[in-house]
Amino acid sequence: MTIPAPPPPDLDKQTSPKGRLQRVSLRNRVTWLAAICVAGAVALVSVAAFVTVRDSLYQQIDDNLTERAVEAAEGPLVRTSDLQQVPVAFFVAANFKISVLSADGLVVGPADRPPMSLAELAVAKGETRDSLRTDQRTNSRVVAVPTGQNAALVMSTSLQQTQRTLAQLSVVLVVMGGAGILLAAAAGTAVARAGLRPVQRLTAATERVALTGDLRPIPVGGDDELARLTASFNGMLSALAESQERQRRLVADAGHELRTPLTSLRTNLELLMASARPNAPELSEQDRAEMFADVQAQVTELSALVGDLVELAREDTPQAVHEPVDLIDVVERALSRARRRAPRIEFDVRLEPWVMMGDATALERAVLNLLDNAAKWSPDGGRVRVELHPEDADHTVLEVADGGPGIAAADRPYVFERFYRSSDARTLPGSGLGLSIVKQVAERHGGTVWAGEAPEGGALLRMSLPGRAQDIEQQ
């Protein structure tokens, strides 16, 4: 079986103008754009100047030539040696050729005569008033005006001097235009380098981040669009660095919290396995039961810790909040679950209507964590006060107060941090993630959390959330 060879590369695509343009750097494109724009402007100005000067010079030649011919035709006559009367201009004209052409084609004048054609003969016959033309053979301008009867005065002048002047002007325009284009290209290069220097720094920073993972901010100078772009990029780097720091802290804290139950679980399992070996000392039923109970407690703690970690990681992920949520329904569902978990605790509930845009599941988890925390610290038969009331026109407050020992003033700023557990709580079950999840949910919904002392003597935990007291329409 023969494997077909791969098709040859498409050279047309590789060498197409579009492909070549994409490989040109932005700085070179700016330079070329400036040069092309200046070249176009210089070309238009040069052409316009050349045409204007040319027309003006030719118009001056025509006006001067016609004026001299009319003066010669209307001027005095003199008699030559052959008894012919000719205009005085025959003897005083300088830089001009002059002759008199009769209607029958007879030419009278000096030996150096202007070129003749049917146009001058028509003037001599009276068929046309005058004529003005360019003779290509002699490269001269020829004018004919009537003089006397059945005759025309023909006068011509060379165009070489004028054409020489126009040639010099064209050279000057080309040289000055080329210098202007080079100057524009140099200025475009300088402007492109200066203007794109922040872009180059930004590009180098992104490449550095991609290669090294270094999230140091880029120095910002000025207040233009590129400076704002750099500031935005620095904000993105700061957010990314903060996210990485949270991830590292979460992994480190999780590893620390998991180490203790795993060590205890491994120790108990090793003892149980060692007691089952032949000739090994047997454990009493009481010790065996205590070990199994300890293993079961450690597994339960690990399950709760893993569940909290998963929930916390899910809360760290940005999610769209767009559903109308009735907070009374959320709190009542959380109360139903809390009552099943803590049947010996009485919940004193006072709720006022409040509607907001949010994630009902996440909000219910946050409220349940507040209730579980209060129930854990309340004594058997104790009462937990739950109130939901507006704080102002745009915010409501959920207060959960218990009758337990309360939170020490030194611990209150840290109770919502991940894995933080006060010295009194370290002997109690729990992972230290419940209140941090409450903080995550509140901040994701634009709210805040606060810990203080309740009038009942225990802890008071408050969660403030935005919204409104009246119903909102479905978006």
Side-chain angles (χ1 to χ4, degrees):
M1 178 178 180
T2 303
I3 301 176
D10 194 345
L11 298 179
D12 294 337
K13 292 183 179 180
Q14 295 181 357
T15 60
S16 64
K18 183 178 180 181
R20 289 193 298 269
L21 181 61
Q22 291 176 351
R23 290 193 295 268
V24 178
S25 65
L26 180 59
R27 184 176 64 185
N28 292 336
R29 276 183 275 178
V30 172
T31 301
W32 281 107
L33 180 61
I36 291 174
C37 291
V38 172
V42 168
L44 290 176
V45 173
S46 300
V47 171
F50 182 83
V51 172
T52 302
V53 172
R54 185 195 63 183
D55 293 344
S56 178
L57 290 178
Y58 281 135
Q59 187 64 41
Q60 290 179 5
I61 292 175
D62 292 344
D63 293 342
N64 188 26
L65 185 62
T66 302
E67 182 180 357
R68 296 291 295 273
V70 171
E71 290 178 355
E74 296 178 352
L77 303 177
V78 295
R79 189 178 298 275
T80 62
S81 58
D82 55 359
L83 301 181
Q84 293 181 345
Q85 289 185 341
V86 296
V88 177
F90 273 36
F91 306 100
V92 298
N95 300 327
F96 293 97
K97 296 179 181 180
I98 185 171
S99 296
V100 174
L101 175 64
S102 62
D104 56 2
L106 179 63
V107 179
V108 178
D112 190 8
R113 299 173 180 176
M116 302 291 178
S117 68
L118 296 179
E120 289 76 24
L121 185 60
V123 175
K125 293 180 179 180
E127 296 177 355
T128 57
R129 181 181 176 183
D130 54 26
S131 70
L132 181 63
R133 65 182 181 87
T134 298
D135 187 77
Q136 301 295 337
R137 292 177 301 168
T138 59
N139 193 24
S140 59
R141 195 72 169 162
V142 182
V143 64
V145 296
T147 176
Q149 293 183 352
N150 298 327
L153 186 141
V154 182
M155 185 178 290
S156 68
T157 185
S158 176
L159 297 177
Q160 292 182 357
Q161 185 63 33
T162 302
Q163 292 175 348
R164 190 177 301 112
T165 301
L166 291 176
Q168 294 176 352
L169 176 62
S170 62
V171 171
V172 171
L173 292 176
V174 170
V175 172
M176 295 301 295
I181 293 172
L182 294 178
L183 181 61
T189 302
V191 171
R193 286 180 178 177
L196 297 178
R197 191 172 292 115
V199 177
Q200 293 174 348
R201 290 200 300 265
L202 189 61
T203 303
T206 56
E207 293 175 350
R208 171 174 55 82
V209 171
L211 291 176
T212 65
D214 186 3
L215 301 179
R216 288 177 299 174
I218 307 171
V220 182
D223 56 354
D224 54 3
E225 290 79 2
L226 291 176
R228 291 196 294 271
L229 176 62
T230 305
S232 300
F233 186 77
N234 286 339
M236 183 186 68
L237 290 180
S238 299
L240 183 58
E242 182 180 356
S243 176
Q244 287 186 350
E245 180 61 26
R246 286 200 307 267
Q247 291 177 359
R248 285 193 291 266
R249 190 165 61 248
L250 177 62
V251 171
D253 294 341
H256 177 74
E257 292 294 327
L258 289 170
R259 187 177 298 114
T260 300
L262 284 176
T263 302
S264 177
L265 184 61
R266 183 178 61 184
T267 302
N268 290 328
L269 290 176
E270 287 177 351
L271 289 175
L272 290 173
M273 293 174 62
S275 64
R277 293 173 183 171
N279 301 325
E282 294 185 1
L283 295 176
S284 63
E285 292 297 330
Q286 182 180 358
D287 291 339
R288 186 180 297 273
E290 290 178 356
M291 286 187 180
F292 277 118
D294 194 12
V295 168
Q296 184 177 5
Q298 297 297 337
V299 170
T300 302
E301 184 178 352
L302 282 175
S303 300
L305 180 59
V306 171
D308 288 341
L309 286 174
V310 172
E311 184 67 22
L312 196 60
R314 189 181 71 86
E315 291 297 332
D316 279 342
T317 305
Q319 299 178 9
V321 179
H322 59 274
E323 295 179 352
V325 176
D326 187 347
L327 279 185
I328 291 184
D329 293 341
V330 170
V331 175
E332 288 179 347
R333 289 197 300 268
L335 281 169
S336 176
R337 297 172 62 182
R339 288 189 177 101
R340 290 194 300 268
R341 296 183 181 184
R344 299 179 182 180
I345 302 299
E346 180 182 354
F347 291 92
D348 183 12
V349 183
R350 289 188 289 268
L351 306 177
E352 297 185 26
W354 193 264
V355 181
M356 61 177 293
M357 301 295 291
D359 184 351
T361 303
L363 290 170
E364 182 179 346
R365 177 61 185 269
V367 175
L368 181 60
N369 286 354
L370 291 175
L371 298 177
D372 287 343
N373 182 79
K376 181 175 68 174
W377 290 100
S378 297
D380 290 345
R383 175 177 296 183
V384 174
R385 177 170 54 88
V386 181
E387 289 189 7
L388 178 66
H389 59 84
E391 183 179 24
D392 53 41
D394 298 322
H395 293 82
T396 189
V397 174
L398 175 66
E399 293 185 353
V400 179
D402 60 64
I407 304 174
D411 293 330
R412 291 172 188 171
Y414 310 105
V415 294
F416 292 101
E417 293 186 1
R418 296 173 178 174
F419 298 104
Y420 180 80
R421 303 177 72 180
S422 64
S423 57
D424 297 334
R426 290 172 184 171
T427 58
L428 297 177
S431 62
L433 293 176
L435 295 183
S436 64
I437 294 176
V438 175
K439 181 181 178 182
Q440 292 277 4
V441 173
E443 291 180 348
R444 186 159 63 88
H445 288 79
T448 57
V449 292
W450 177 82
E453 183 178 357
E456 294 84 352
L460 174 62
L461 300 179
R462 302 179 58 188
M463 181 170 62
S464 176
L465 295 171
R468 61 180 64 183
Q470 298 177 355
D471 292 341
I472 58 177
E473 298 180 355
Q474 295 285 345
Q475 298 293 329

PDB file of all heavy atoms in Angstrom, residues 25 31 57 73 85 87 121 126 206 224 232 237 246-247 258 283 290 302 318 321 345 380 391 401 445 461:
ATOM      1  N   SER A  25       6.395  44.397  10.430  1.00  0.00           N
ATOM      2  CA  SER A  25       6.143  44.878  11.787  1.00  0.00           C
ATOM      3  C   SER A  25       5.289  46.134  11.749  1.00  0.00           C
ATOM      4  O   SER A  25       5.208  46.843  10.739  1.00  0.00           O
ATOM      5  CB  SER A  25       7.466  45.168  12.491  1.00  0.00           C
ATOM      6  OG  SER A  25       8.143  46.237  11.839  1.00  0.00           O
ATOM      7  N   THR A  31       5.908  53.556   9.381  1.00  0.00           N
ATOM      8  CA  THR A  31       6.890  54.302   8.589  1.00  0.00           C
ATOM      9  C   THR A  31       6.476  54.373   7.130  1.00  0.00           C
ATOM     10  O   THR A  31       6.491  55.455   6.508  1.00  0.00           O
ATOM     11  CB  THR A  31       8.270  53.636   8.714  1.00  0.00           C
ATOM     12  OG1 THR A  31       8.651  53.613  10.093  1.00  0.00           O
ATOM     13  CG2 THR A  31       9.301  54.387   7.905  1.00  0.00           C
ATOM     14  N   LEU A  57       3.602  80.568 -17.499  1.00  0.00           N
ATOM     15  CA  LEU A  57       4.671  80.956 -18.432  1.00  0.00           C
ATOM     16  C   LEU A  57       4.174  80.980 -19.875  1.00  0.00           C
ATOM     17  O   LEU A  57       4.468  81.928 -20.635  1.00  0.00           O
ATOM     18  CB  LEU A  57       5.848  79.986 -18.287  1.00  0.00           C
ATOM     19  CG  LEU A  57       6.642  80.079 -16.973  1.00  0.00           C
ATOM     20  CD1 LEU A  57       7.746  79.018 -16.957  1.00  0.00           C
ATOM     21  CD2 LEU A  57       7.242  81.465 -16.799  1.00  0.00           C
ATOM     22  N   ALA A  73       1.891  95.354 -36.243  1.00  0.00           N
ATOM     23  CA  ALA A  73       0.953  95.477 -37.367  1.00  0.00           C
ATOM     24  C   ALA A  73       0.356  96.869 -37.446  1.00  0.00           C
ATOM     25  O   ALA A  73       0.063  97.368 -38.547  1.00  0.00           O
ATOM     26  CB  ALA A  73      -0.147  94.432 -37.221  1.00  0.00           C
ATOM     27  N   GLN A  85       7.088  98.458 -48.624  1.00  0.00           N
ATOM     28  CA  GLN A  85       6.812  99.014 -47.304  1.00  0.00           C
ATOM     29  C   GLN A  85       6.607  97.874 -46.306  1.00  0.00           C
ATOM     30  O   GLN A  85       5.743  96.999 -46.502  1.00  0.00           O
ATOM     31  CB  GLN A  85       5.563  99.900 -47.356  1.00  0.00           C
ATOM     32  CG  GLN A  85       5.791 101.205 -48.118  1.00  0.00           C
ATOM     33  CD  GLN A  85       4.575 102.115 -48.049  1.00  0.00           C
ATOM     34  OE1 GLN A  85       3.474 101.668 -47.760  1.00  0.00           O
ATOM     35  NE2 GLN A  85       4.788 103.402 -48.324  1.00  0.00           N
ATOM     36  N   PRO A  87       6.712  96.882 -41.823  1.00  0.00           N
ATOM     37  CA  PRO A  87       6.630  97.480 -40.473  1.00  0.00           C
ATOM     38  C   PRO A  87       8.021  97.765 -39.913  1.00  0.00           C
ATOM     39  O   PRO A  87       9.003  97.081 -40.230  1.00  0.00           O
ATOM     40  CB  PRO A  87       5.910  96.417 -39.648  1.00  0.00           C
ATOM     41  CG  PRO A  87       5.172  95.590 -40.647  1.00  0.00           C
ATOM     42  CD  PRO A  87       6.032  95.580 -41.876  1.00  0.00           C
ATOM     43  N   LEU A 121      -2.141  81.836 -43.406  1.00  0.00           N
ATOM     44  CA  LEU A 121      -2.692  82.217 -44.714  1.00  0.00           C
ATOM     45  C   LEU A 121      -4.174  82.568 -44.590  1.00  0.00           C
ATOM     46  O   LEU A 121      -4.663  83.484 -45.246  1.00  0.00           O
ATOM     47  CB  LEU A 121      -2.489  81.090 -45.720  1.00  0.00           C
ATOM     48  CG  LEU A 121      -2.914  81.378 -47.169  1.00  0.00           C
ATOM     49  CD1 LEU A 121      -2.128  82.571 -47.728  1.00  0.00           C
ATOM     50  CD2 LEU A 121      -2.716  80.139 -48.050  1.00  0.00           C
ATOM     51  N   GLY A 126      -8.243  87.006 -44.614  1.00  0.00           N
ATOM     52  CA  GLY A 126      -9.383  87.557 -43.888  1.00  0.00           C
ATOM     53  C   GLY A 126     -10.396  86.516 -43.459  1.00  0.00           C
ATOM     54  O   GLY A 126     -11.492  86.869 -43.007  1.00  0.00           O
ATOM     55  N   THR A 206       4.511  40.520  28.590  1.00  0.00           N
ATOM     56  CA  THR A 206       3.674  39.335  28.379  1.00  0.00           C
ATOM     57  C   THR A 206       4.531  38.116  28.056  1.00  0.00           C
ATOM     58  O   THR A 206       4.244  37.003  28.537  1.00  0.00           O
ATOM     59  CB  THR A 206       2.677  39.599  27.254  1.00  0.00           C
ATOM     60  OG1 THR A 206       3.386  39.992  26.059  1.00  0.00           O
ATOM     61  CG2 THR A 206       1.708  40.707  27.624  1.00  0.00           C
ATOM     62  N   ASP A 224      -1.861  58.528  28.362  1.00  0.00           N
ATOM     63  CA  ASP A 224      -2.519  58.295  27.089  1.00  0.00           C
ATOM     64  C   ASP A 224      -3.146  56.906  27.069  1.00  0.00           C
ATOM     65  O   ASP A 224      -3.221  56.210  28.090  1.00  0.00           O
ATOM     66  CB  ASP A 224      -1.525  58.460  25.931  1.00  0.00           C
ATOM     67  CG  ASP A 224      -0.291  57.572  26.112  1.00  0.00           C
ATOM     68  OD1 ASP A 224      -0.253  56.815  27.100  1.00  0.00           O
ATOM     69  OD2 ASP A 224       0.612  57.642  25.262  1.00  0.00           O
ATOM     70  N   SER A 232      -4.194  48.740  32.856  1.00  0.00           N
ATOM     71  CA  SER A 232      -5.149  47.633  32.849  1.00  0.00           C
ATOM     72  C   SER A 232      -4.427  46.290  32.881  1.00  0.00           C
ATOM     73  O   SER A 232      -4.859  45.354  33.577  1.00  0.00           O
ATOM     74  CB  SER A 232      -6.045  47.725  31.605  1.00  0.00           C
ATOM     75  OG  SER A 232      -6.771  48.931  31.590  1.00  0.00           O
ATOM     76  N   LEU A 237      -2.409  41.541  35.942  1.00  0.00           N
ATOM     77  CA  LEU A 237      -1.313  40.823  36.590  1.00  0.00           C
ATOM     78  C   LEU A 237      -1.526  40.741  38.096  1.00  0.00           C
ATOM     79  O   LEU A 237      -1.258  39.701  38.718  1.00  0.00           O
ATOM     80  CB  LEU A 237       0.017  41.521  36.285  1.00  0.00           C
ATOM     81  CG  LEU A 237       0.544  41.428  34.846  1.00  0.00           C
ATOM     82  CD1 LEU A 237       1.863  42.168  34.726  1.00  0.00           C
ATOM     83  CD2 LEU A 237       0.717  39.980  34.409  1.00  0.00           C
ATOM     84  N   ARG A 246      -3.833  32.943  46.431  1.00  0.00           N
ATOM     85  CA  ARG A 246      -4.946  32.256  47.087  1.00  0.00           C
ATOM     86  C   ARG A 246      -4.867  30.754  46.854  1.00  0.00           C
ATOM     87  O   ARG A 246      -5.125  29.963  47.771  1.00  0.00           O
ATOM     88  CB  ARG A 246      -6.278  32.797  46.569  1.00  0.00           C
ATOM     89  CG  ARG A 246      -6.637  34.168  47.087  1.00  0.00           C
ATOM     90  CD  ARG A 246      -8.130  34.430  46.951  1.00  0.00           C
ATOM     91  NE  ARG A 246      -8.598  34.203  45.596  1.00  0.00           N
ATOM     92  CZ  ARG A 246      -8.695  35.140  44.667  1.00  0.00           C
ATOM     93  NH1 ARG A 246      -8.342  36.384  44.952  1.00  0.00           N
ATOM     94  NH2 ARG A 246      -9.133  34.859  43.457  1.00  0.00           N
ATOM     95  N   GLN A 247      -4.512  30.366  45.649  1.00  0.00           N
ATOM     96  CA  GLN A 247      -4.396  28.940  45.368  1.00  0.00           C
ATOM     97  C   GLN A 247      -3.279  28.305  46.188  1.00  0.00           C
ATOM     98  O   GLN A 247      -3.451  27.213  46.757  1.00  0.00           O
ATOM     99  CB  GLN A 247      -4.145  28.722  43.871  1.00  0.00           C
ATOM    100  CG  GLN A 247      -5.334  29.061  42.982  1.00  0.00           C
ATOM    101  CD  GLN A 247      -5.015  28.893  41.517  1.00  0.00           C
ATOM    102  OE1 GLN A 247      -3.900  28.537  41.152  1.00  0.00           O
ATOM    103  NE2 GLN A 247      -5.984  29.173  40.662  1.00  0.00           N
ATOM    104  N   LEU A 258      -5.319  18.454  56.293  1.00  0.00           N
ATOM    105  CA  LEU A 258      -5.508  17.041  55.961  1.00  0.00           C
ATOM    106  C   LEU A 258      -4.468  16.148  56.635  1.00  0.00           C
ATOM    107  O   LEU A 258      -4.706  14.943  56.817  1.00  0.00           O
ATOM    108  CB  LEU A 258      -5.437  16.847  54.438  1.00  0.00           C
ATOM    109  CG  LEU A 258      -6.613  17.378  53.624  1.00  0.00           C
ATOM    110  CD1 LEU A 258      -6.280  17.320  52.140  1.00  0.00           C
ATOM    111  CD2 LEU A 258      -7.866  16.559  53.912  1.00  0.00           C
ATOM    112  N   LEU A 283      -6.215  -6.993  70.722  1.00  0.00           N
ATOM    113  CA  LEU A 283      -6.800  -5.800  71.326  1.00  0.00           C
ATOM    114  C   LEU A 283      -8.095  -6.171  72.023  1.00  0.00           C
ATOM    115  O   LEU A 283      -8.838  -7.046  71.560  1.00  0.00           O
ATOM    116  CB  LEU A 283      -7.073  -4.742  70.252  1.00  0.00           C
ATOM    117  CG  LEU A 283      -5.854  -4.147  69.546  1.00  0.00           C
ATOM    118  CD1 LEU A 283      -6.304  -3.195  68.444  1.00  0.00           C
ATOM    119  CD2 LEU A 283      -4.953  -3.418  70.530  1.00  0.00           C
ATOM    120  N   GLU A 290     -13.139   1.596  70.292  1.00  0.00           N
ATOM    121  CA  GLU A 290     -12.690   2.989  70.290  1.00  0.00           C
ATOM    122  C   GLU A 290     -11.928   3.323  69.006  1.00  0.00           C
ATOM    123  O   GLU A 290     -12.073   4.424  68.450  1.00  0.00           O
ATOM    124  CB  GLU A 290     -11.815   3.242  71.511  1.00  0.00           C
ATOM    125  CG  GLU A 290     -12.572   3.237  72.832  1.00  0.00           C
ATOM    126  CD  GLU A 290     -11.651   3.431  74.015  1.00  0.00           C
ATOM    127  OE1 GLU A 290     -10.408   3.502  73.799  1.00  0.00           O
ATOM    128  OE2 GLU A 290     -12.143   3.521  75.164  1.00  0.00           O
ATOM    129  N   LEU A 302     -12.775  13.947  57.307  1.00  0.00           N
ATOM    130  CA  LEU A 302     -12.177  14.092  55.973  1.00  0.00           C
ATOM    131  C   LEU A 302     -13.236  14.367  54.914  1.00  0.00           C
ATOM    132  O   LEU A 302     -13.038  15.181  54.006  1.00  0.00           O
ATOM    133  CB  LEU A 302     -11.394  12.825  55.625  1.00  0.00           C
ATOM    134  CG  LEU A 302     -10.020  12.668  56.263  1.00  0.00           C
ATOM    135  CD1 LEU A 302      -9.443  11.302  55.911  1.00  0.00           C
ATOM    136  CD2 LEU A 302      -9.084  13.774  55.793  1.00  0.00           C
ATOM    137  N   PRO A 318     -15.462  32.387  38.883  1.00  0.00           N
ATOM    138  CA  PRO A 318     -16.435  33.419  38.530  1.00  0.00           C
ATOM    139  C   PRO A 318     -17.669  32.806  37.885  1.00  0.00           C
ATOM    140  O   PRO A 318     -17.577  31.978  36.981  1.00  0.00           O
ATOM    141  CB  PRO A 318     -15.665  34.299  37.537  1.00  0.00           C
ATOM    142  CG  PRO A 318     -14.223  34.010  37.790  1.00  0.00           C
ATOM    143  CD  PRO A 318     -14.163  32.579  38.232  1.00  0.00           C
ATOM    144  N   VAL A 321     -24.332  35.865  37.887  1.00  0.00           N
ATOM    145  CA  VAL A 321     -25.415  35.981  38.859  1.00  0.00           C
ATOM    146  C   VAL A 321     -26.544  36.731  38.171  1.00  0.00           C
ATOM    147  O   VAL A 321     -26.439  37.919  37.902  1.00  0.00           O
ATOM    148  CB  VAL A 321     -24.939  36.732  40.126  1.00  0.00           C
ATOM    149  CG1 VAL A 321     -26.071  36.881  41.117  1.00  0.00           C
ATOM    150  CG2 VAL A 321     -23.766  36.008  40.759  1.00  0.00           C
ATOM    151  N   ILE A 345     -31.716  22.489  69.323  1.00  0.00           N
ATOM    152  CA  ILE A 345     -31.575  23.953  69.291  1.00  0.00           C
ATOM    153  C   ILE A 345     -32.884  24.563  68.814  1.00  0.00           C
ATOM    154  O   ILE A 345     -33.504  24.088  67.850  1.00  0.00           O
ATOM    155  CB  ILE A 345     -30.417  24.379  68.372  1.00  0.00           C
ATOM    156  CG1 ILE A 345     -29.102  23.755  68.840  1.00  0.00           C
ATOM    157  CG2 ILE A 345     -30.294  25.889  68.321  1.00  0.00           C
ATOM    158  CD1 ILE A 345     -28.684  24.164  70.235  1.00  0.00           C
ATOM    159  N   ASP A 380     -27.079  22.769  74.652  1.00  0.00           N
ATOM    160  CA  ASP A 380     -28.307  22.017  74.398  1.00  0.00           C
ATOM    161  C   ASP A 380     -29.499  22.778  74.972  1.00  0.00           C
ATOM    162  O   ASP A 380     -29.461  23.267  76.115  1.00  0.00           O
ATOM    163  CB  ASP A 380     -28.216  20.639  75.059  1.00  0.00           C
ATOM    164  CG  ASP A 380     -27.219  19.749  74.351  1.00  0.00           C
ATOM    165  OD1 ASP A 380     -26.838  20.100  73.218  1.00  0.00           O
ATOM    166  OD2 ASP A 380     -26.794  18.727  74.939  1.00  0.00           O
ATOM    167  N   GLU A 391     -31.387  47.053  55.856  1.00  0.00           N
ATOM    168  CA  GLU A 391     -30.432  47.972  56.472  1.00  0.00           C
ATOM    169  C   GLU A 391     -30.619  49.382  55.935  1.00  0.00           C
ATOM    170  O   GLU A 391     -30.493  50.352  56.664  1.00  0.00           O
ATOM    171  CB  GLU A 391     -29.010  47.478  56.212  1.00  0.00           C
ATOM    172  CG  GLU A 391     -27.924  48.308  56.859  1.00  0.00           C
ATOM    173  CD  GLU A 391     -26.542  47.746  56.584  1.00  0.00           C
ATOM    174  OE1 GLU A 391     -26.383  47.036  55.566  1.00  0.00           O
ATOM    175  OE2 GLU A 391     -25.622  48.004  57.374  1.00  0.00           O
ATOM    176  N   ALA A 401     -27.488  35.139  65.741  1.00  0.00           N
ATOM    177  CA  ALA A 401     -26.906  35.299  67.075  1.00  0.00           C
ATOM    178  C   ALA A 401     -27.143  34.031  67.882  1.00  0.00           C
ATOM    179  O   ALA A 401     -28.220  33.417  67.809  1.00  0.00           O
ATOM    180  CB  ALA A 401     -27.512  36.509  67.780  1.00  0.00           C
ATOM    181  N   HIS A 445     -21.684  38.345  45.664  1.00  0.00           N
ATOM    182  CA  HIS A 445     -22.969  38.996  45.428  1.00  0.00           C
ATOM    183  C   HIS A 445     -22.940  40.480  45.761  1.00  0.00           C
ATOM    184  O   HIS A 445     -23.993  41.125  45.820  1.00  0.00           O
ATOM    185  CB  HIS A 445     -24.065  38.314  46.252  1.00  0.00           C
ATOM    186  CG  HIS A 445     -24.440  36.958  45.745  1.00  0.00           C
ATOM    187  ND1 HIS A 445     -23.690  35.830  45.998  1.00  0.00           N
ATOM    188  CD2 HIS A 445     -25.487  36.544  44.989  1.00  0.00           C
ATOM    189  CE1 HIS A 445     -24.255  34.786  45.418  1.00  0.00           C
ATOM    190  NE2 HIS A 445     -25.350  35.183  44.804  1.00  0.00           N
ATOM    191  N   LEU A 461     -23.127  37.141  63.994  1.00  0.00           N
ATOM    192  CA  LEU A 461     -22.584  37.149  62.636  1.00  0.00           C
ATOM    193  C   LEU A 461     -23.596  37.801  61.717  1.00  0.00           C
ATOM    194  O   LEU A 461     -24.787  37.440  61.733  1.00  0.00           O
ATOM    195  CB  LEU A 461     -22.284  35.725  62.171  1.00  0.00           C
ATOM    196  CG  LEU A 461     -21.265  34.954  63.017  1.00  0.00           C
ATOM    197  CD1 LEU A 461     -21.067  33.555  62.460  1.00  0.00           C
ATOM    198  CD2 LEU A 461     -19.943  35.689  63.080  1.00  0.00           C
TER     199      LEU A 461
END
